[in-house]
Amino acid sequence: MIQYGSDVVTQLRFEVFHPRIERRDDQWVDIELGLELSHLTPMPAGLTELTALVICTVDGVIAQIVPLDEGCDCEFQFTADEKEQIRAFIERPDIQKAITNTASPS
């Protein structure tokens, strides 16, 4: 994590992801990821309840990955390595299938 205005970088390791997938409209799918951190990489000071909002196309292509604290925008951003961990999870075949199923019109 990188806090805006700080030169301190903390590399978090995510152990478990808890996705909640929701179709926003005909173009976008929002995925709120609950994140369980490795005990070796504790949550940075200044964060209470870190989650990630992953915005994807209905085809599962990631457009944006945004950190949230208690469900709101926060003054942190993910590092490239943290985004890669999230990307790898989102691109798993089972998650891609869930995105496609959620995006399909009922």
Side-chain angles (χ1 to χ4, degrees):
M1 300 296 305
I2 304 167
Q3 187 172 16
Y4 294 115
S6 174
D7 57 358
V8 176
V9 176
T10 305
Q11 292 290 341
L12 299 179
R13 290 281 170 225
F14 305 119
E15 294 282 318
V16 180
F17 297 98
H18 301 282
R20 188 175 59 81
I21 303 172
E22 184 176 300
R23 180 183 177 148
R24 183 189 313 176
D25 56 29
D26 290 340
Q27 185 177 4
W28 303 110
V29 173
D30 294 337
I31 305 168
E32 185 177 339
L33 283 181
L35 305 169
E36 289 187 30
L37 303 179
S38 165
H39 70 281
L40 299 175
T41 60
M43 182 110 51
L47 287 172
T48 304
E49 184 183 330
L50 177 64
T51 58
L53 173 62
V54 183
I55 303 168
C56 296
T57 66
V58 293
D59 297 322
V61 177
I62 296 172
Q64 193 170 10
I65 301 173
V66 180
L68 302 175
D69 187 27
E70 297 183 316
C72 299
D73 288 339
C74 64
E75 57 185 49
F76 287 83
Q77 63 183 347
F78 288 117
T79 64
D81 179 66
E82 292 161 346
K83 286 182 181 180
E84 176 58 27
Q85 292 174 68
I86 293 167
R87 184 199 61 75
F89 175 77
I90 296 296
E91 291 181 353
R92 285 181 8 190
D94 60 321
I95 300 301
Q96 287 292 302
K97 182 174 174 135
I99 292 168
T100 302
N101 290 344
T102 301
S104 297
S106 300

